[in-house]
Amino acid sequence: MKINLLTIALATWVIPACAWSSSADTRIQEKDVIDQVLADPFFTQSQMTLSLKNYWKYLKEDNTEPKKVHNAWGQGVAVDYQSGYFADVIGVDVVYYGAVKLGASDYFNTRGVLYNNGSGNNKGNAEGYSKFGQRNLKFKYALGDVGLHARWGWQVMKNVGVISTSTRLSPTTYSGWLGAVDYDGLTLRGAYIESSMDRNSPDKKRFQTNTGKYINHIASGDLSWKSKRWDLKYGYGESENYLQRHILQAHVMPAERLKFGAQIYDTHALEEYKAMPAGKRDFDNHARHYTLEAGWRADNWSTKWGLGYTDAKKEHQVGFYPRHMSKNSRGTFSSMAYAGDDYMRDGEVMLANISDYKLTPDFAVGLAGNIGQFNYKGNHVRTGEINAFTRWTPSQMPLKNLTVWTMFGPGWSYKASGKTPVLNDDGRYMRSHTLSSEVIIEYKFKLF
């Protein structure tokens, strides 16, 4: 009997002690697991940045009657979270964008700064916006010297084949897939996108033809090779049954400070494009743009020159090379002819220059100019512009991450119906004038 009582007493003490010990071990193991998870690069290599951008953009022009002022001013904020890669394979990126209206005129929407919440371009429609413009899963994997990368979701696509993005208070973003394979200096990329969010809008939009017909998707890709002296890229893409495009870009650096480049953009009309009325087409069957470039960079100054030519035939009207693959998308186009709707008309020759000089290591001033000419019914039609700019990028704290950009200048063009000049009774084209300006103040800092 004594033995039984002793056994019961020991059991009464030992069993709870063992249970507590087991529970404590479990908690220790759980804590170790949590510590291991939090020590993964997904968390330890995560980072978040905050960007504040103030943007004012202005244009006064009289290309069509009456004279118009296009003016928009807004304050933007961006919170950018980028995770590391869990198990060195998968991660997530999320970026929030917000904008507040500070000022606007009629026709403000052409500046791409503020949201147009309504029809037309009445200044009463101008508003700010709020959106998660980027939210995507990202993947990476290495097979020896070969790197594999992919993203799925809403993301920025900068010069991926024939697709690109444009930025004001926020960038144009796309919903779809982006994949890349790289080996040494060789990279192959492909993208498939089905919708977009414009740089000044929180709305999800589908791609459209010039007549408003929906386009199911845009497929795009490129193959590039980089070395110390050479940079070559071939891009290809299609907006489904609408436009097909080839891009060839080449750059060479024969010396450390000297760089030469050449670009060819070749766009072909597909069935949906050819079926549109002539008034909705920018060109009839194909459009091409050619560019030669040369640049020199010294210690305190730099200069870059560009020469371009466009071939975009259109019967009875002046044809035009369209930069974009559809409505609601942005096309890859890095020629120095990039300036609104100018310098890419059929038969137009364009000469451009941008030069700057550093007055101090942090403060630069410069001039940028374009001039173009094409022939129309016996007229040598000339367009051009010249802009003075300043750029301040302090290198010392606390203003190290501040950028202040200003630009101002006049331009000249012609009275137009679409892209076609309006002629006087004597057959000469009618001149027009422009005045443009922009100010960008941006500050970025890292939250963690």
Side-chain angles (χ1 to χ4, degrees):
M1 185 69 177
K2 290 182 180 180
I3 295 176
N4 291 337
L5 289 174
L6 180 60
T7 301
I8 294 171
L10 289 173
T12 303
W13 177 77
V14 170
I15 292 174
C18 291
W20 179 88
S21 177
S22 175
S23 177
D25 290 343
T26 300
R27 286 197 297 269
I28 292 173
Q29 291 175 358
E30 289 176 349
K31 184 177 183 301
D32 289 342
V33 171
I34 293 173
D35 289 342
Q36 290 176 5
V37 170
L38 293 178
D40 190 272
F42 181 92
F43 296 102
T44 60
Q45 296 180 10
S46 291
Q47 57 184 352
M48 180 178 287
T49 57
L50 174 65
S51 302
L52 302 174
K53 179 185 285 188
N54 191 284
Y55 205 127
W56 175 64
K57 198 165 180 66
Y58 173 92
L59 172 68
K60 181 171 69 174
E61 50 87 9
D62 58 358
N63 289 13
T64 58
E65 297 296 342
K67 183 181 294 184
K68 298 180 179 67
V69 172
H70 311 244
N71 177 51
W73 183 25
Q75 174 65 48
V77 60
V79 182
D80 183 349
Y81 170 76
Q82 298 181 18
S83 79
Y85 286 85
F86 184 75
D88 206 31
V89 173
I90 185 170
V92 296
D93 286 352
V94 179
V95 188
Y96 166 81
Y97 302 100
V100 177
K101 169 190 170 183
L102 298 178
S105 69
D106 291 343
Y107 307 104
F108 71 92
N109 198 41
T110 64
R111 303 302 85 198
V113 175
L114 299 173
Y115 179 46
N116 187 9
N117 189 15
S119 59
N121 259 301
N122 187 289
K123 62 182 179 182
N125 296 339
E127 293 184 1
Y129 55 85
S130 177
K131 63 181 178 179
F132 284 93
Q134 297 190 62
R135 46 193 192 276
N136 58 79
L137 294 174
K138 56 185 181 181
F139 309 87
K140 72 172 184 176
Y141 195 72
L143 293 172
D145 294 332
V146 178
L148 307 175
H149 305 270
R151 286 182 185 269
W152 173 73
W154 285 94
Q155 58 189 291
V156 167
M157 294 191 182
K158 183 68 173 178
N159 296 334
V160 179
V162 301
I163 290 297
S164 191
T165 191
S166 176
T167 301
R168 292 291 188 265
L169 292 178
S170 69
T172 304
T173 56
Y174 301 97
S175 176
W177 279 95
L178 170 64
V181 180
D182 59 74
Y183 173 76
D184 197 15
L186 192 66
T187 302
L188 175 64
R189 298 188 297 177
Y192 181 94
I193 54 177
E194 296 178 318
S195 52
S196 68
M197 269 190 282
D198 208 352
R199 58 192 180 182
N200 60 328
S201 170
D203 299 331
K204 175 182 176 180
K205 295 181 179 179
R206 294 178 61 186
F207 306 124
Q208 294 177 280
T209 69
N210 286 350
T211 58
K213 187 173 181 179
Y214 288 122
I215 297 171
N216 182 62
H217 67 270
I218 298 176
S220 180
D222 57 41
L223 178 64
S224 62
W225 178 67
K226 291 185 178 181
S227 68
K228 185 177 180 180
R229 298 295 185 188
W230 286 90
D231 185 347
L232 303 175
K233 179 188 285 188
Y234 167 73
Y236 172 82
E238 288 190 12
S239 44
E240 186 190 35
N241 205 30
Y242 186 59
L243 290 175
Q244 179 190 90
R245 180 166 296 169
H246 304 262
I247 299 175
L248 184 61
Q249 299 174 321
H251 296 92
V252 60
M253 294 181 64
E256 183 179 356
R257 299 180 182 272
L258 182 63
K259 187 175 184 178
F260 294 106
Q263 303 170 38
I264 300 174
Y265 300 84
D266 184 13
T267 301
H268 295 268
L270 301 180
E271 293 305 315
E272 291 291 347
Y273 187 90
K274 294 177 181 179
M276 293 191 303
K280 293 292 185 179
R281 299 197 300 266
D282 295 306
F283 59 92
D284 286 333
N285 295 306
H286 68 264
R288 299 184 179 95
H289 178 80
Y290 309 89
T291 296
L292 295 174
E293 297 174 350
W296 176 268
R297 181 172 296 277
D299 293 334
N300 294 323
W301 64 274
S302 68
T303 186
K304 182 179 180 181
W305 291 85
L307 178 66
Y309 176 76
T310 300
D311 175 15
K313 298 290 189 298
K314 186 175 181 182
E315 190 174 4
H316 307 306
Q317 297 182 51
V318 174
F320 180 75
Y321 180 90
R323 295 194 303 272
H324 312 312
M325 296 295 292
S326 70
K327 286 187 175 182
N328 304 323
S329 74
R330 295 277 162 179
T332 297
F333 193 80
S334 56
S335 166
M336 293 181 71
Y338 187 101
D341 286 343
D342 294 323
Y343 316 117
M344 291 178 289
R345 306 171 187 91
D346 179 48
E348 187 167 22
V349 178
M350 177 279 307
L351 179 66
N353 172 261
I354 181 169
S355 301
D356 63 40
Y357 180 79
K358 289 185 177 181
L359 297 176
T360 73
D362 299 340
F363 185 73
V365 297
L367 290 174
N370 299 68
I371 185 169
Q373 176 178 299
F374 65 97
N375 297 324
Y376 179 72
K377 293 188 175 180
N379 287 272
H380 297 300
V381 183
R382 295 184 178 92
T383 62
E385 61 187 307
I386 185 167
N387 292 286
F389 64 85
T390 64
R391 182 178 62 251
W392 183 42
T393 54
S395 57
Q396 301 297 321
M397 296 299 290
L399 300 179
K400 185 176 181 180
N401 297 315
L402 175 69
T403 300
V404 180
W405 163 274
T406 66
M407 185 182 71
F408 175 85
W412 61 96
S413 187
Y414 59 90
K415 303 284 187 181
S417 174
K419 304 295 187 297
T420 304
V422 175
L423 305 181
N424 287 316
D425 293 338
D426 61 2
R428 294 187 177 183
Y429 75 96
M430 302 171 65
R431 294 185 179 275
S432 68
H433 300 85
T434 63
L435 183 65
S436 63
S437 183
E438 73 175 11
V439 177
I440 307 172
I441 304 173
E442 186 173 14
Y443 186 73
K444 298 181 180 181
F445 55 94
K446 192 172 182 178
L447 297 178
F448 62 79

